[in-house]
């Protein structure tokens, strides 16, 4: 097609409630180009609208847009999409590093003689403080107030910094602590489904609401028909200053949901089933769109639970198109009826309302069918969300997991040590020591929470109590939860079982589970027990929930309460009674579970849009602790050299005005040799900082008492802490030191066992570059950019893995670390690599500078094959090839510049 087209050609006018609005009509584009829009997935229609509206010859022309659409139909090679989201969403753990980097980028602009105010958000940015809450106090009436007070005691310096950012950057708003979890705040308050922009001319322009977030579970908003997903903080910074977000054109997998939920099954059970089946199928780097008759049975909140789990099943997003359930949710959460009607009207105009009448004709890469009647009551664990175990099979499955060798994912606990007798109050293998209703995944779903409350009510009436060794907590993601549970009288029932509200935030889900009672902790350590946590969360990676709890299981809120009553993970729910009544009648789980009619009746009574509209009015107003924090505005942030929370990052010091280019990696050593499913929690933990760790010793050297260490997540504004915490997860397994777990490695050629930090420092002094070698699914889990930042600061130049997860691979590129992938059928083990080799990686230095800071013609093409030579201590040479996972031309440019941030800075300055 001709690039002489103007995007104005596709502008149309519609009238709504007596006012004219303009919009970019994708059907007009389809008619111009001859494409059949009915064949395109709805997510691609939203992408098309974004491309047309933001068409700019310097970024993408109409030929480029047409090529992208041809990829979806299978008629072109993979290509990249430049996308401009309507807004950006941050949380405090990933958001503070973003703001720290922006402040440091302003410093660099001044050093280069530029205008620091050019580093400023170009689109609305919301930062929600929800990740800093810790469960220090629980199972008592004042737990909420006490935990919030301690949160401010720990984090006032970070919060002052965010207030400075709110005052010093335009388009930047902060939701104070105690308001809820980012994703529920997003769907309940911030998300609008369509955006009305009054800045583009005489007529207001309407277009789809789209959002990217620095939290991987941003996908929860896909339940509203909103395109959005998690990205790295480094990529977010580029978007903030006006750059498009580039991503490879994604294939779309259609998921046909059929069947019906059983009487006792929940949305959590469906989400765990979907996670298991899609992980098995493989949807990493792909969009998943749900459709089918079972979608009609699922409530909007059920859809939100499934969409939230998209990172767990590996998809870029799990998308549900806008339909009448979306409209009802807008009204149920107190949005204006005018907005709801505008959403319906606009989405119908664009052909993105409702599902598919003929899904078999849609350009899905493939259609996968999932029968939700298979979603029986289940848990997932003990280490991965995709490892679903039906409740009826759990006792046998857990005992098998316990006795498996560690190399097979087990714990090597001998059968003779497996005792289920907790009658004397002593904990043993399999004891549940943490039971928490927590996280964004399930605590936005009234059906799930009301079910838990009704179960608690029946248990309370029968005199049942959680076992004494179980730490119970309840951290809703929305303040509305407390209002409707109190309205139904269910809050009293939950509190009677120890599930008092400990705060409105992520808490246990992010690893801020707080301390275990000292006698419990002592017993775990002395007997080396494999104890358990049961949480209504989305992740259960090793070392995430609590450092002493090695087996973690995901479950619905109702099952969290049930396991607190049982006190054991291997409880046989079909045969074992929870209690015996005075008349000798046994009490089973089936006696406590409410019927669907009971649940539906309670939901109807609890529905009150005023809860949400009232909370929305005070969303950006904090409590007295927040409002009393000082705030000031300035172009440059006054860094305090004595601060242990906020430091100007070292990777933004001495940034050269011109790009360094790419060069081959010569004489590299292996810092770590890792296996499959290494998560970003393994790479960059978010939980507590051990006193004897490199990070702990650094903090002590700065005069910080161990009681004031806070967490790795809270210290993400200080690179000195974070680089020392990289690869420091206590459950990390490095094959170079098979007899140890945690942040240990071998230094070569000395052969000394040292911490990863110590080894990296020695290699740095010796001038030796580093590589990391790993297996499949490297970088699963959170979007935390410090997993890439810390890797880069340790001196790692490349990661060679069998496969990468989407967000972490992008983050590595953003930090100038080259992701390399073994060719199909090859791995470190099959090639005979031991990690003792010296590595030479050749082919990167093809890209040369053309004199103005750009790679000339990008001779290093996206997806190039590079050669690797590994020389073992015996002199034997192992030669193999790897796929360079710089997937797009833009990523090659990022690598050429040493990462996204230097590229953005040079672009803003005009280099």
């Amino acid at each position: 097609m001709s690039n002489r087209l103007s995007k104005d050609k596709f502008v149309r006018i519609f009238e709504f409630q007596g006012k004219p609005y303009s919009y970019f009509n994708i059907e007009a584009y389809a008619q111009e180009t001859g494409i059949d829009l009915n064949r395109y997935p709805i997510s691609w229609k939203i992408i098309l609208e974004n491309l047309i509206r933001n068409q700019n010859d310097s970024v993408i022309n109409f030929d480029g847009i047409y090529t992208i659409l041809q990829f979806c139909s299978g008629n072109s090679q993979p290509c990249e999409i430049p996308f401009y989201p309507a807004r950006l969403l941050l949380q405090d753990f990933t958001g503070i590093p973003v703001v720290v980097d922006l402040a440091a980028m302003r410093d660099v602009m001044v050093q280069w003689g530029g205008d620091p105010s050019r580093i400023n958000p170009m689109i609305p940015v919301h930062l929600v403080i929800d990740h800093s809450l810790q469960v220090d106090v629980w199972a008592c009436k004042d737990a909420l107030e006490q935990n919030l007070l301690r949160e401010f005691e720990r984090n006032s310096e970070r919060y002052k910094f965010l207030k400075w950012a709110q005052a010093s950057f335009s388009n930047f708003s902060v939701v104070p602590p105690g308001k809820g979890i980012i994703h529920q705040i997003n769907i309940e308050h911030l998300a609008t489904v369509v955006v009305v922009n009054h800045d583009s001319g005489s007529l207001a322009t309407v277009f789809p609401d789209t959002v990217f977030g620095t939290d991987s579970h941003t996908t929860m908003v896909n339940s509203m028909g909103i395109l959005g997903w998690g990205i790295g903080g480094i990529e977010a910074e580029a978007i903030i200053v006006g750059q498009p977000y580039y991503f490879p054109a994604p294939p779309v997998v259609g998921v046909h949901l059929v069947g019906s939920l059983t009487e006792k099954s929940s949305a959590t059970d469906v989400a765990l089933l979907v996670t298991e089946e899609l992980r098995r199928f493989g949807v990493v780097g792909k969009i998943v769109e749900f459709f089918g008759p079972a979608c009609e049975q699922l409530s909007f909140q059920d859809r939100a639970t499934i969409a939230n789990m998209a990172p767990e099943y590996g998809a870029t997003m799990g998308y549900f198109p806008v339909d009448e359930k979306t409209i009802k949710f807008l009204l149920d959460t107190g949005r204006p009826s005018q907005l709801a009607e505008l959403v319906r009207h606009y989405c119908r105009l664009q052909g993105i309302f409702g599902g598919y009448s003929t899904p078999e004709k849609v350009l899905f890469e493939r259609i996968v069918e999932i029968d939700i009647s298979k979603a029986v009551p289940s848990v997932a664990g003990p280490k991965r969300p995709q490892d679903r175990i039906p409740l009826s099979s759990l006792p046998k499955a857990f005992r098998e997991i316990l006795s498996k060798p560690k190399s097979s994912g087990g714990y090597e606990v001998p059968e003779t040590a497996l005792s289920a007798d907790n009658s004397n109050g002593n904990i043993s293998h399999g004891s549940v020591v943490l039971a928490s209703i927590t996280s964004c995944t399930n605590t936005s779903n009234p059906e799930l929470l009301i079910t838990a409350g009704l179960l608690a009510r029946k248990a309370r009436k029968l005199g049942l109590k959680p076992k004494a060794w179980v730490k119970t907590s309840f951290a809703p993601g929305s303040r509305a939860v407390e209002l409707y549970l109190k309205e139904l009288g269910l809050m009293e029932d939950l509190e009677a079982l120890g599930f008092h509200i400990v705060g409105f935030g992520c808490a246990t889900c992010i690893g801020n589970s707080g301390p275990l009672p000292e006698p419990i902790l002592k017993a775990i350590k002395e007997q080396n027990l494999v104890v358990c946590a049961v949480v209504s969360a989305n992740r259960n990676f090793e070392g995430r929930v609590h450092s002493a709890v090695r087996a973690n299981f995901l479950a619905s809120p109702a099952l969290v309460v049930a396991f607190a009553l049982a006190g054991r993970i291997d409880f046989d729910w079909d045969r074992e009674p929870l209690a015996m009544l005075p008349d000798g009648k046994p009490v089973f789980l089936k006696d406590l579970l409410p019927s669907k009619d009971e649940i539906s009746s309670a939901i109807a009574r609890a529905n009150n849009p005023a809860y949400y509209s009232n909370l929305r009015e005070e969303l950006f107003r904090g409590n007295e602790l927040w409002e009393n924090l000082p705030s000031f505005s300035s172009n440059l942030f006054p860094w305090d050299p004595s601060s242990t929370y906020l430091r100007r990052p070292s990777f933004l010091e001495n940034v050269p005005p011109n790009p360094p280019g790419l060069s081959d990696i010569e004489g590299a050593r292996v810092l770590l040799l890792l296996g499959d499913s290494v998560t970003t929690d393994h790479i960059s933990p978010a939980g507590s900082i051990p006193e004897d760790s490199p990070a702990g010793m650094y903090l002590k050297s700065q005069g910080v008492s161990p009681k004031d260490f806070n967490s790795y997540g809270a210290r993400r504004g200080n690179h000195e802490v974070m680089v020392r915490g990289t690869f420091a997860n206590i459950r990390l397994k490095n094959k170079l030191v098979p007899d140890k777990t945690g942040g240990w490695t071998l230094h070569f050629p000395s052969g000394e066992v040292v911490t990863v930090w110590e080894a990296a420092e020695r290699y740095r002094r010796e001038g030796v570059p580093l590589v990391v070698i790993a297996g499949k699914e490297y970088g699963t889990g959170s979007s935390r950019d410090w997993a890439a930042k810390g890797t880069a600061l340790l001196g790692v130049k490349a990661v060679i893995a069998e496969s990468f997860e989407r967000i972490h691979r992008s983050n590595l590129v953003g930090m100038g670390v080259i992701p390399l992938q073994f060719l199909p059928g090859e791995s470190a083990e099959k090639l005979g690599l031991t990690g003792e080799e010296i590595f030479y990686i050749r082919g990167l230095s093809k890209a040369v500078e053309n004199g103005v800071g750009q790679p000339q013609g990008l001779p290093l093409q996206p997806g190039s094959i590079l050669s690797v030579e590994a020389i073992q201590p015996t002199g034997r040479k192992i030669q193999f090839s790897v796929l360079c996972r710089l997937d797009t031309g833009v990523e090659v440019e990022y690598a050429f510049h040493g990462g996204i941030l230097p590229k953005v800075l040079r672009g803003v300055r005009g280099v």
Side-chain angles (χ1 to χ4, degrees):
M1 64 176 292
S2 173
N3 272 319
R4 296 174 184 174
L5 286 173
S6 166
K7 64 182 179 182
D8 294 338
K9 183 181 179 67
F10 309 117
V11 174
R12 297 291 184 270
I13 308 298
F14 70 90
E15 189 171 290
F16 176 73
Q17 296 185 352
K19 292 182 180 180
Y21 296 86
S22 68
Y23 75 109
F24 287 84
N25 182 268
I26 59 174
E27 182 58 44
Y29 174 87
Q31 291 173 2
E32 181 73 30
T33 57
I35 67 170
D36 182 0
L37 267 185
N38 292 324
R39 299 199 64 208
Y40 282 81
I42 290 174
S43 55
W44 269 82
K45 294 180 182 180
I46 296 173
I47 290 171
L48 174 59
E49 189 280 340
N50 194 280
L51 289 169
I52 296 171
R53 177 165 42 87
N54 294 295
Q55 184 272 330
N56 181 323
D57 286 344
S58 64
V59 176
I60 190 167
N61 55 35
F62 278 106
D63 273 348
I65 295 174
Y66 188 74
T67 300
I68 288 171
L69 292 177
Q70 291 304 297
F71 166 78
C72 185
S73 61
N75 295 324
S76 78
Q77 295 298 311
C79 48
E80 60 190 0
I81 295 174
F83 195 90
Y84 290 87
R87 55 195 176 90
L88 196 65
L89 200 58
L90 316 175
Q91 38 92 335
D92 47 314
F93 270 18
T94 55
I96 281 186
V98 169
V99 182
V100 165
D101 288 354
L102 291 174
M105 289 166 73
R106 282 189 167 185
D107 292 341
V108 176
M109 288 298 291
V110 170
Q111 290 171 2
W112 288 356
D115 179 2
S117 66
R118 295 186 67 182
I119 304 297
N120 204 67
M122 303 296 288
I123 59 173
V125 178
H126 294 97
L127 187 149
V128 180
I129 301 176
D130 65 349
H131 275 55
S132 298
L133 170 71
Q134 297 191 38
V135 187
D136 294 297
V137 181
W138 66 96
C140 61
K141 282 287 187 184
D142 64 345
L144 173 64
E145 292 76 15
Q146 289 298 316
N147 287 323
L148 193 58
L149 181 63
R150 296 191 188 189
E151 180 181 343
F152 273 86
E153 289 172 354
R154 290 187 179 105
N155 299 291
S156 60
E157 183 181 354
R158 300 166 66 237
Y159 295 170
K160 290 175 190 175
F161 175 64
L162 291 178
K163 293 193 78 171
W164 168 83
Q166 184 167 241
S168 302
F169 293 105
S170 60
N171 278 328
F172 186 86
S173 303
V174 178
V175 177
K179 298 294 184 175
I181 297 177
I182 179 173
H183 309 300
Q184 282 149 261
I185 286 175
N186 190 20
I187 66 171
E188 292 176 5
H189 302 297
L190 302 177
T192 56
V193 187
V194 299
V195 176
V196 180
N197 185 355
H198 296 274
D199 300 332
S200 57
S202 57
L203 289 181
T205 302
V206 181
F207 53 88
D209 181 16
T210 54
V211 59
F212 291 148
T214 59
D215 189 290
S216 53
H217 293 103
T218 303
T219 53
M220 191 172 198
V221 81
N222 303 156
S223 58
M224 300 181 75
I226 295 174
L227 187 147
W229 55 79
I231 62 173
I234 310 160
E235 296 166 315
E237 292 160 33
I239 294 171
I240 283 173
V241 296
Q243 302 294 307
Y245 171 72
Y246 290 92
F247 61 98
V252 181
V253 174
V255 176
H256 187 217
L257 296 180
V258 298
S260 301
L261 273 180
T262 65
E263 174 73 14
K264 301 303 180 184
S265 298
S266 69
T268 307
D269 300 316
V270 177
L272 295 180
L273 174 70
V274 168
T275 299
E276 177 188 44
E277 298 213 1
L278 291 184
R279 265 294 171 185
R280 186 184 299 123
F281 172 71
V283 291
V284 172
K286 301 177 184 180
I287 288 173
V288 163
E289 284 199 21
F290 295 98
F291 66 94
C295 283
E296 297 303 314
Q297 299 179 40
L298 299 172
S299 69
F300 171 85
Q301 289 86 355
D302 292 346
R303 296 177 182 182
T305 300
I306 296 167
N308 180 285
M309 292 281 283
E312 278 60 63
Y313 44 85
T316 299
M317 67 175 184
Y319 186 80
F320 291 87
V322 177
D323 63 6
E324 290 299 335
K325 291 193 176 182
T326 316
I327 305 301
K328 182 178 184 300
F329 177 73
L330 290 171
L331 297 172
D332 286 349
T333 49
R335 268 56 170 253
S337 59
Q338 181 180 359
L339 171 64
E341 291 299 324
L342 179 60
V343 167
R344 182 190 284 115
H345 187 79
Y346 172 81
C347 291
R348 282 180 171 164
L349 279 176
Q350 286 284 40
I352 57 175
F353 189 89
Y356 300 101
S357 56
T358 55
E360 67 278 1
K361 295 183 180 180
V362 178
L363 293 168
F364 292 128
E365 181 189 59
R366 183 177 170 184
I367 292 179
V368 180
E369 185 171 281
I370 296 179
D371 183 353
I372 68 170
S373 64
K374 295 179 182 177
V376 297
S378 303
V379 300
K383 302 175 183 180
R384 301 190 307 174
Q386 63 262 44
D387 296 332
R388 185 178 71 101
I389 307 172
L391 206 59
S392 58
S393 305
L394 185 55
K396 179 182 178 183
F398 180 69
R399 296 173 77 85
E400 289 176 351
I401 292 168
L402 273 183
S403 58
K404 276 185 180 179
K406 292 179 182 179
S407 59
S408 301
Y411 299 94
E412 292 184 348
V413 175
E415 183 69 26
T416 54
L418 303 182
S419 171
D421 183 13
N422 296 98
S423 58
N424 58 3
N426 295 325
I427 63 172
S428 62
H429 294 295
S431 292
V432 173
V433 298
L434 275 173
S436 183
I437 304 173
T438 181
S439 102
C440 51
T441 308
N442 294 298
T443 60
S444 70
N445 192 325
E447 180 174 347
L448 294 175
L449 293 176
I450 287 171
T451 301
L454 292 171
L455 186 150
R457 173 169 290 176
K458 294 185 179 187
R460 180 188 181 192
K461 285 181 179 179
L462 294 172
L464 276 62
K465 290 281 188 180
K467 295 296 185 283
W469 54 85
V470 183
K471 178 177 181 176
T472 52
S473 63
F474 181 20
S478 167
R479 293 200 69 101
V481 169
E482 180 183 29
L483 299 177
Y484 63 67
L485 288 178
K486 282 185 174 179
E487 175 71 21
L488 296 170
L490 295 176
M491 203 60 243
E492 290 183 9
D493 299 306
L494 287 163
E495 289 176 347
L497 269 60
F499 288 94
H500 299 72
I501 291 178
V502 296
F504 297 94
C506 300
T508 301
C509 180
I510 191 58
N512 287 345
S513 53
L516 289 173
E518 191 56 39
I520 301 293
L521 198 59
K522 183 179 179 183
I524 294 170
K525 290 180 178 178
E526 288 181 350
Q527 301 175 54
N528 194 27
L529 295 177
V530 179
V531 295
C532 305
V534 181
V535 293
S536 65
N538 40 46
R539 291 200 174 125
N540 52 351
F541 305 137
E542 289 182 289
R544 179 182 176 95
V545 173
H546 191 286
S547 60
V549 180
R550 292 155 66 186
N552 303 285
F553 292 87
L554 310 181
S556 68
L559 287 182
V560 170
V561 177
F563 274 104
L565 298 173
R568 299 197 332 267
I569 201 68
D570 57 350
F571 194 84
D572 190 334
W573 297 99
D574 293 331
R575 296 176 180 82
E576 286 188 74
L578 281 163
M580 299 294 292
L581 298 180
D583 61 2
K585 182 180 179 181
V587 178
F588 291 94
L589 176 61
K590 63 183 180 181
D591 303 319
L592 302 181
L593 286 171
S595 68
K596 292 292 185 185
D597 288 342
E598 289 178 276
I599 298 166
S600 298
S601 174
I603 291 173
R605 298 198 310 274
N607 184 32
N608 188 343
Y611 291 157
Y612 299 90
S613 53
N614 293 338
L615 290 169
R616 194 170 301 123
E617 288 180 5
E618 58 181 41
L619 185 63
F620 297 101
R621 292 199 300 269
N623 62 8
E624 186 177 357
L625 295 169
W626 174 262
E627 297 300 331
N628 287 341
L629 290 175
S631 176
F632 67 96
S633 172
S634 62
N635 264 338
L636 301 180
F637 180 70
W639 303 102
D640 179 358
S642 66
S643 174
T644 58
Y645 274 103
L646 303 169
R647 301 289 295 270
R648 180 178 171 181
S650 58
F651 51 81
L652 284 172
E653 290 182 351
N654 304 314
V655 178
N658 292 313
L662 284 165
S663 59
D664 291 345
I665 299 170
E666 304 279 348
R669 286 288 189 178
V670 176
L671 183 62
L672 299 107
L673 179 62
L674 305 170
D676 296 339
S677 300
V678 172
T679 72
T680 50
D681 283 71
H682 286 122
I683 303 167
S684 183
S688 59
I689 302 173
E691 186 175 346
D692 59 352
S693 68
M697 289 187 283
Y698 163 79
L699 287 172
K700 286 193 292 186
S701 75
Q702 300 298 305
V704 179
S705 170
K707 68 180 178 63
D708 297 321
F709 277 3
N710 212 327
S711 65
Y712 280 116
R715 295 278 181 181
R716 286 182 183 167
N718 184 345
H719 63 276
E720 298 286 6
V721 172
M722 297 309 296
V723 68
R724 288 167 171 81
T726 304
F727 297 110
N729 186 299
I730 60 171
R731 302 298 177 202
L732 183 71
K733 298 178 180 68
N734 179 7
K735 295 179 182 179
L736 295 179
V737 282
D739 296 330
K740 296 178 77 70
T741 58
W744 298 94
T745 194
L746 278 182
H747 172 265
F748 297 108
S750 69
E752 295 178 40
V753 177
V754 294
T755 66
V756 171
W757 160 252
E758 290 172 304
E761 279 295 281
R762 287 174 66 171
Y763 286 128
R764 182 183 60 79
R765 291 193 297 268
E766 295 161 359
V768 176
L770 301 173
V771 296
V772 170
I773 299 179
K776 302 179 184 68
E777 297 179 357
Y778 183 74
T780 61
S782 301
S783 64
R784 58 191 67 173
D785 54 347
W786 262 109
K789 288 177 176 176
T791 299
L793 290 182
L794 286 173
V796 174
K797 302 301 180 185
V799 176
I800 309 175
E802 292 179 60
S803 65
F804 291 89
E805 291 293 287
R806 177 184 61 85
I807 299 177
H808 184 60
R809 186 201 63 82
S810 295
N811 277 337
L812 289 173
V813 175
M815 285 304 300
V817 179
I818 310 298
L820 304 174
Q821 192 162 307
F822 288 110
L823 297 184
E826 294 187 345
S827 65
E829 185 177 3
K830 290 179 180 177
L831 289 166
L833 299 173
T834 64
E836 302 170 282
E837 298 85 2
I838 299 175
F839 280 76
Y840 296 84
I841 302 170
R842 300 188 175 102
L844 289 167
S845 57
K846 293 177 183 177
V848 295
E849 189 181 340
N850 66 0
V852 291
Q854 298 296 327
Q856 186 176 21
L858 296 178
L860 178 68
Q861 295 299 313
S864 292
I865 300 296
L866 306 182
S867 64
V868 181
E869 183 178 71
I871 303 176
Q872 295 188 316
T874 60
R876 176 175 175 254
K877 294 180 180 180
I878 300 174
Q879 294 182 322
F880 58 100
S881 297
V882 291
L883 173 66
C884 182
R885 288 298 309 277
L886 299 176
D887 291 351
T888 67
V890 170
E891 290 188 342
V892 174
E893 287 195 42
Y894 288 158
F896 183 84
H897 279 264
I900 288 180
L901 303 187
K903 167 75 165 59
V904 167
L905 279 166
R906 294 179 186 116
V908 171
R909 184 172 178 253
V911 174

